[in-house]
Amino acid sequence: MSSHHIVREDQEPALIIDDFQAVGPDLLGELLEWSPTVVTNTESFRMALQAGIKVDFVLADEPVDIPQDHVKVIPLNGDFLLRALDHLIGEGYRAAYLLSSRADPSILLQVAGKMSAALLGNGQRVFAVGSGFSKWKSKGETVYFYGDTEIKDVHGLAPVEANRYVVESDGLCTVYFKGAYGLIGEQL
């Protein structure tokens, strides 16, 4: 997206930060460029303060000292990433990036159909897509499938090993799952 686009509030993906080390500083800067809604847990909130990042929501089970204005503290009550996604869905957000190197990608299946969410960490972007998903890819790129994703059919991809495929030639790659959704990963 270039700088001449008009961005409406809540249109850009929110940013859920579980782990600041999940992506490099350049990608983090790109994600923060459009001033997204930022959601953190207590640990990542402290790191956001040190980095000068404005936070909108902190999910915490304990009281948190909030030196920034307009930060809302929300009771955690369970898993941070799932609670953050549920909160954003309740607020009407349609997309989010999750920064975490320790999250189970299957969490994305729990919000598939309600929100577009991508997990960024460990050098990969993982996202839930519906059966029949197509994307243009370059020859030689690697595509990963996660969790219990059962593949029914693929076009433009050749299997390399279990859950790992390579793009056969430049062009559209399509994947069909046995279920409604599957988890796909690609290199960042």
Side-chain angles (χ1 to χ4, degrees):
M1 182 180 288
S2 65
S3 61
H4 68 274
H5 284 80
I6 296 172
V7 178
R8 295 186 185 132
E9 190 167 328
D10 302 340
Q11 186 177 13
E12 283 296 306
L15 185 59
I16 302 170
I17 304 174
D18 177 46
D19 176 7
F20 266 93
Q21 307 305 314
V23 299
D26 291 341
L27 180 54
L28 180 60
E30 287 178 35
L31 294 169
L32 291 167
E33 183 176 322
W34 292 96
S35 301
T37 296
V38 175
V39 182
T40 68
N41 56 25
T42 308
E43 179 185 330
S44 56
F45 176 66
R46 291 185 186 107
M47 295 185 78
L49 285 176
Q50 291 173 355
I53 297 169
K54 181 191 170 298
V55 173
D56 299 283
F57 300 104
V58 176
L59 277 69
D61 282 328
E62 70 279 347
V64 180
D65 180 33
I66 308 289
Q68 290 184 356
D69 292 336
H70 309 294
V71 177
K72 294 179 186 171
V73 178
I74 298 167
L76 180 55
N77 299 330
D79 178 75
F80 166 65
L81 292 175
L82 188 55
R83 177 72 175 105
L85 287 166
D86 286 343
H87 176 76
L88 291 171
I89 290 167
E91 293 282 321
Y93 287 81
R94 293 175 291 192
Y97 289 114
L98 292 73
L99 303 187
S100 181
S101 56
R102 53 187 173 244
D104 180 352
S106 65
I107 192 172
L108 301 172
L109 292 173
Q110 296 180 47
V111 298
K114 300 176 200 170
M115 165 186 270
S116 173
L119 174 62
L120 307 176
N122 300 316
Q124 290 192 6
R125 172 180 32 212
V126 180
F127 45 98
V129 296
S131 185
F133 173 78
S134 292
K135 184 174 182 179
W136 194 96
K137 304 288 278 174
S138 297
K139 180 180 180 177
E141 286 187 54
T142 302
V143 176
Y144 303 89
F145 296 94
Y146 288 92
D148 295 330
T149 299
E150 291 187 58
I151 299 167
K152 186 167 143 182
D153 193 18
V154 296
H155 300 281
L157 297 170
V160 176
E161 58 187 37
N163 299 323
R164 187 172 144 224
Y165 287 69
V166 67
V167 177
E168 295 176 305
S169 61
D170 291 354
L172 276 180
C173 297
T174 305
V175 62
Y176 297 92
F177 306 112
K178 290 183 180 176
Y181 295 96
L183 294 171
I184 292 182
E186 58 191 13
Q187 294 299 122
L188 286 175

Short mmCIF file of all heavy atoms in Angstrom, two decimals, residues 16 34-35 50 92 94 102 114 121 129 143 166 168 188:
data_model
loop_
_atom_site.label_atom_id
_atom_site.label_comp_id
_atom_site.label_asym_id
_atom_site.label_seq_id
_atom_site.Cartn_x
_atom_site.Cartn_y
_atom_site.Cartn_z
N ILE A 16 -0.97 -7.99 17.33
CA ILE A 16 -0.95 -8.65 18.64
C ILE A 16 0.48 -9.08 18.90
O ILE A 16 1.03 -9.90 18.15
CB ILE A 16 -1.90 -9.86 18.66
CG1 ILE A 16 -3.33 -9.43 18.33
CG2 ILE A 16 -1.83 -10.55 20.02
CD1 ILE A 16 -4.28 -10.60 18.10
N TRP A 34 1.52 1.95 9.70
CA TRP A 34 0.18 2.53 9.53
C TRP A 34 -0.53 2.71 10.86
O TRP A 34 -1.75 2.86 10.91
CB TRP A 34 -0.65 1.65 8.60
CG TRP A 34 -0.10 1.72 7.22
CD1 TRP A 34 0.77 0.85 6.64
CD2 TRP A 34 -0.35 2.73 6.25
NE1 TRP A 34 1.08 1.26 5.36
CE2 TRP A 34 0.40 2.42 5.10
CE3 TRP A 34 -1.13 3.89 6.24
CZ2 TRP A 34 0.39 3.21 3.96
CZ3 TRP A 34 -1.15 4.66 5.09
CH2 TRP A 34 -0.39 4.32 3.98
N SER A 35 0.21 2.71 11.97
CA SER A 35 -0.34 2.91 13.31
C SER A 35 -1.51 1.98 13.60
O SER A 35 -2.63 2.43 13.86
CB SER A 35 -0.76 4.38 13.50
OG SER A 35 0.32 5.23 13.32
N GLN A 50 9.57 0.49 26.27
CA GLN A 50 10.98 0.75 26.06
C GLN A 50 11.28 1.13 24.62
O GLN A 50 12.16 1.93 24.34
CB GLN A 50 11.82 -0.46 26.46
CG GLN A 50 11.83 -0.74 27.94
CD GLN A 50 12.53 -2.05 28.28
OE1 GLN A 50 12.95 -2.80 27.40
NE2 GLN A 50 12.65 -2.33 29.57
N GLY A 92 -14.97 -5.71 16.26
CA GLY A 92 -15.24 -5.51 14.85
C GLY A 92 -14.03 -5.53 13.93
O GLY A 92 -14.14 -5.21 12.74
N ARG A 94 -11.31 -7.06 11.45
CA ARG A 94 -11.42 -8.13 10.47
C ARG A 94 -10.07 -8.79 10.17
O ARG A 94 -10.03 -9.79 9.46
CB ARG A 94 -12.02 -7.60 9.18
CG ARG A 94 -13.48 -7.17 9.38
CD ARG A 94 -14.01 -6.56 8.14
NE ARG A 94 -13.31 -5.26 7.98
CZ ARG A 94 -13.68 -4.33 7.13
NH1 ARG A 94 -14.66 -4.52 6.33
NH2 ARG A 94 -13.02 -3.20 7.07
N ARG A 102 6.39 -18.78 19.68
CA ARG A 102 6.06 -19.96 20.50
C ARG A 102 4.61 -20.41 20.37
O ARG A 102 4.21 -21.39 20.97
CB ARG A 102 6.39 -19.67 21.96
CG ARG A 102 5.78 -18.41 22.50
CD ARG A 102 6.28 -18.07 23.90
NE ARG A 102 5.79 -16.77 24.32
CZ ARG A 102 6.55 -15.73 24.58
NH1 ARG A 102 7.86 -15.83 24.46
NH2 ARG A 102 6.03 -14.59 24.97
N LYS A 114 -14.07 -15.78 10.83
CA LYS A 114 -14.46 -14.59 11.59
C LYS A 114 -13.49 -13.44 11.35
O LYS A 114 -13.84 -12.28 11.45
CB LYS A 114 -14.48 -14.89 13.09
CG LYS A 114 -15.42 -15.98 13.51
CD LYS A 114 -15.25 -16.24 14.99
CE LYS A 114 -15.77 -17.60 15.38
NZ LYS A 114 -15.41 -17.95 16.74
N GLY A 121 6.46 -15.46 12.84
CA GLY A 121 7.49 -15.87 13.78
C GLY A 121 8.31 -17.00 13.20
O GLY A 121 7.88 -17.69 12.27
N VAL A 129 -6.54 -20.64 5.56
CA VAL A 129 -7.20 -20.32 4.29
C VAL A 129 -8.26 -21.38 4.02
O VAL A 129 -8.18 -22.50 4.50
CB VAL A 129 -6.20 -20.26 3.11
CG1 VAL A 129 -5.21 -19.12 3.30
CG2 VAL A 129 -5.48 -21.58 2.93
N VAL A 143 6.28 -24.12 0.39
CA VAL A 143 5.00 -23.92 1.07
C VAL A 143 4.87 -25.03 2.11
O VAL A 143 5.14 -26.20 1.82
CB VAL A 143 3.82 -23.98 0.06
CG1 VAL A 143 2.49 -23.87 0.78
CG2 VAL A 143 3.96 -22.89 -0.99
N VAL A 166 7.03 -27.71 -2.79
CA VAL A 166 7.78 -26.69 -3.52
C VAL A 166 6.96 -26.30 -4.75
O VAL A 166 6.27 -27.13 -5.35
CB VAL A 166 9.20 -27.18 -3.89
CG1 VAL A 166 9.15 -28.31 -4.90
CG2 VAL A 166 10.06 -26.04 -4.38
N GLU A 168 6.25 -25.58 -8.42
CA GLU A 168 6.81 -26.20 -9.62
C GLU A 168 7.21 -25.18 -10.69
O GLU A 168 8.20 -25.37 -11.38
CB GLU A 168 5.80 -27.19 -10.22
CG GLU A 168 5.55 -28.37 -9.31
CD GLU A 168 4.49 -29.30 -9.85
OE1 GLU A 168 3.36 -28.84 -10.15
OE2 GLU A 168 4.80 -30.50 -9.97
N LEU A 188 9.18 -15.72 5.38
CA LEU A 188 9.05 -14.26 5.40
C LEU A 188 10.10 -13.64 4.50
O LEU A 188 11.16 -14.15 4.30
CB LEU A 188 9.25 -13.72 6.83
CG LEU A 188 8.08 -13.97 7.77
CD1 LEU A 188 8.45 -13.52 9.17
CD2 LEU A 188 6.84 -13.21 7.30
#
